[in-house]
Amino acid sequence: MIIHSKKRSFGKACDVSLFTLGTMRATESLDKMNYLIKSAHDAGINHLETAAAYGNAEKLIGESLKELEASENIFRKEWIITTKVLPKGDFNYLKENFENSLKNLKLKKINNLAIHGINLEEHLDWVLNGEGGKFLKWVIKKGLVDQVGFSSHGNYKLIENAINCEVFSFCNLHLHFLDQSKISLAQLALKKKMGVLAISPADKGGRLYDPSESLLRASAPYHPLELAYRFLLSKGITTLSLGATKFEDFNIAKKLINSSQKLSSSEISALENIEHFANEELKSSKCEQCRSCLPCPSEIPIPEILRLRNISIGYGQLEFAKERYNLIGRAGHWWEEKDASFCLDCNECIPKCPSKLNIPALLKETHNLLSEKPKKRLWG
């Protein structure tokens, strides 16, 4: 049975379902892509998110949509498609790559085109004053895209500047229940009538599809992932990315596909119970993510590292925290570059902290807790 879902305005050009099928994990085969797109359609999802950087994802999507239209009467016009280009290269390079995306997707026009990873100041400058801006003006003038946006793994100020620059109509941000530091940025974008997609709220949000026993108990009678999704949807976030790889990954999305209402008293109570549990575990050592400790003279991303400490100790998601911590310094501008071992005990952060935390000691503790041999990146 096909589910008819609620849609929200995604910027100025389209309405999308509350969940989006992210396709980075769907590049195994055409059969896999067919299966996931059909499952998404049956779950009420109408938005596909991809990128030229996702291997052969665009080509598989193009072939899959053609096959599903012929075999399942799932028509191409039912879908909103977002693809992305990396912030590099000159106009001719970008034009060639974009035309290749059109060819692979079997489209004459793309609904949404995002700059994939405005993670550094130079990336935003490339859009505002360089070849990137020239390219975006060209695709809009030619009517090849309905609107342009950006994704970012960058710092708070950079994302704020990108939202306020008046170039973009939507943004893809890391928005999570266990990391609420960028919720205010999402609300700023929504106030400006921009679409907002939450990147990986299940996986990078704390691997909530695989919760610890303590987190499961604290969130009862709800699953932690269901609560995390509901938290974001209740904040007005336009759509949540679902990096599905199997049928079961759609279960919670199908349940919540029309759940745009405010949190119920029962949901609020469960969320408060999770926070109470974390506070009990962390006691007076919890980092409140206020960023007052920055800048660090050694350029250590203190809030991010202590966020991983919060998640590992407070919520019991140790394996997730280890995986993320040991990617530091291995992912270029997509992730942090310095881990806690770079702390020089200068103690400049201590008087800045409203919670009076002994930050250097907590950094050392976190490094000892989380440091281990790095694992391979998903896309490496």
Side-chain angles (χ1 to χ4, degrees):
M1 181 181 69
I2 298 172
I3 297 174
H4 296 285
S5 62
K6 180 179 178 61
K7 308 294 193 300
R8 281 177 168 168
S9 175
F10 191 66
K12 64 184 181 181
C14 58
D15 294 339
V16 300
S17 49
L18 301 184
F19 288 87
T20 292
L21 178 63
T23 59
M24 187 168 68
R25 293 176 172 84
T27 59
E28 184 179 308
S29 67
L30 179 57
D31 286 344
K32 182 70 170 286
M33 186 66 79
N34 285 344
Y35 174 74
L36 291 175
I37 291 180
K38 184 179 186 304
S39 297
H41 178 265
D42 292 347
I45 292 172
N46 79 327
H47 185 205
L48 303 177
E49 183 269 339
T50 190
Y54 295 170
N56 62 344
E58 289 181 331
K59 187 173 183 178
L60 289 175
I61 289 172
E63 294 175 357
S64 178
L65 293 182
K66 182 179 178 180
E67 286 195 8
L68 290 174
E69 183 158 335
S71 63
E72 301 287 344
N73 290 326
I74 299 175
F75 298 104
R76 165 64 191 89
K77 64 182 180 181
E78 298 179 48
W79 295 100
I80 301 297
I81 294 181
T82 295
T83 194
K84 305 189 287 291
V85 295
L86 293 169
K88 65 179 185 179
D90 61 15
F91 174 81
N92 289 328
Y93 171 87
L94 293 161
K95 180 175 179 288
E96 180 181 349
N97 279 273
F98 176 76
E99 289 172 343
N100 193 51
S101 290
L102 287 175
K103 178 181 177 182
N104 286 335
L105 289 164
K106 302 185 187 305
L107 298 174
K108 294 182 179 179
K109 182 177 77 169
I110 291 173
N111 303 104
N112 309 314
L113 178 68
I115 302 300
H116 186 25
I118 294 186
N119 302 333
L120 303 172
E121 293 289 347
E122 61 209 58
H123 295 153
L124 184 56
D125 184 66
W126 175 85
V127 170
L128 299 180
N129 304 303
E131 293 292 290
K134 180 180 177 182
F135 166 71
L136 291 182
K137 289 176 183 176
W138 175 78
V139 292
I140 293 172
K141 183 177 180 180
K142 290 289 185 179
L144 297 175
V145 300
D146 290 328
Q147 61 179 356
V148 298
F150 73 94
S151 67
S152 181
H153 298 58
N155 63 46
Y156 189 98
K157 188 61 179 177
L158 175 62
I159 296 172
E160 183 180 44
N161 290 340
I163 291 171
N164 284 327
C165 75
E166 306 299 333
V167 171
F168 304 112
S169 299
F170 67 93
C171 56
N172 304 345
L173 306 176
H174 284 284
L175 306 168
H176 313 126
F177 169 61
L178 299 188
D179 174 18
Q180 300 179 25
S181 61
K182 293 184 173 67
I183 295 294
S184 58
L185 289 171
Q187 292 172 334
L188 171 64
L190 291 169
K191 188 176 181 181
K192 294 173 73 68
K193 307 298 183 184
M194 295 174 66
V196 179
L197 179 145
I199 300 172
S200 191
D203 187 14
K204 295 188 177 79
R207 199 182 289 171
L208 294 179
Y209 53 81
D210 184 24
S212 64
E213 288 298 321
S214 55
L215 186 54
L216 273 172
R217 288 194 299 271
S219 66
Y222 302 96
H223 191 282
L225 182 55
E226 179 180 348
L227 282 176
Y229 284 160
R230 281 287 295 126
F231 170 80
L232 293 174
L233 292 174
S234 72
K235 292 289 184 182
I237 306 306
T238 315
T239 185
L240 313 183
S241 178
L242 186 69
T245 60
K246 56 186 183 300
F247 180 78
E248 291 76 14
D249 293 336
F250 292 95
N251 287 342
I252 296 179
K254 288 165 71 173
K255 180 179 180 180
L256 302 181
I257 197 68
N258 289 297
S259 300
S260 60
Q261 70 273 18
K262 293 182 179 180
L263 293 170
S264 68
S265 58
S266 177
E267 289 170 327
I268 292 171
S269 178
L271 289 168
E272 289 176 345
N273 195 47
I274 290 174
E275 286 307 290
H276 175 74
F277 173 81
N279 290 338
E280 287 293 307
E281 294 296 312
L282 290 161
K283 297 183 171 59
S284 60
S285 70
K286 182 181 180 181
C287 174
E288 298 294 347
Q289 299 290 288
C290 68
R291 302 188 300 277
S292 297
C293 55
L294 299 177
C296 168
S298 298
E299 299 182 329
I300 297 170
I302 296 170
E304 189 59 46
I305 289 174
L306 296 188
R307 179 183 77 89
L308 294 177
R309 180 181 181 274
N310 286 350
I311 289 175
S312 60
I313 297 174
Y315 304 101
Q317 297 299 92
L318 179 61
E319 291 307 310
F320 163 79
K322 283 183 176 180
E323 181 179 292
R324 297 301 295 170
Y325 186 78
N326 291 287
L327 283 178
I328 295 176
R330 299 183 64 243
H333 59 73
W334 295 96
W335 186 226
E336 307 296 351
E337 295 183 2
K338 293 186 177 181
D339 65 22
S341 68
F342 284 84
C343 178
L344 299 177
D345 290 314
C346 70
N347 295 332
E348 284 192 20
C349 51
I350 294 178
K352 297 178 183 179
C353 179
S355 299
K356 303 187 185 305
L357 299 179
N358 185 339
I359 292 174
L362 293 179
L363 289 174
K364 288 183 175 64
E365 176 193 317
T366 304
H367 185 75
N368 291 334
L369 175 67
L370 301 182
S371 181
E372 62 181 16
K373 185 177 179 180
K375 297 176 181 177
K376 183 180 179 181
R377 295 169 62 196
L378 174 64
W379 57 94

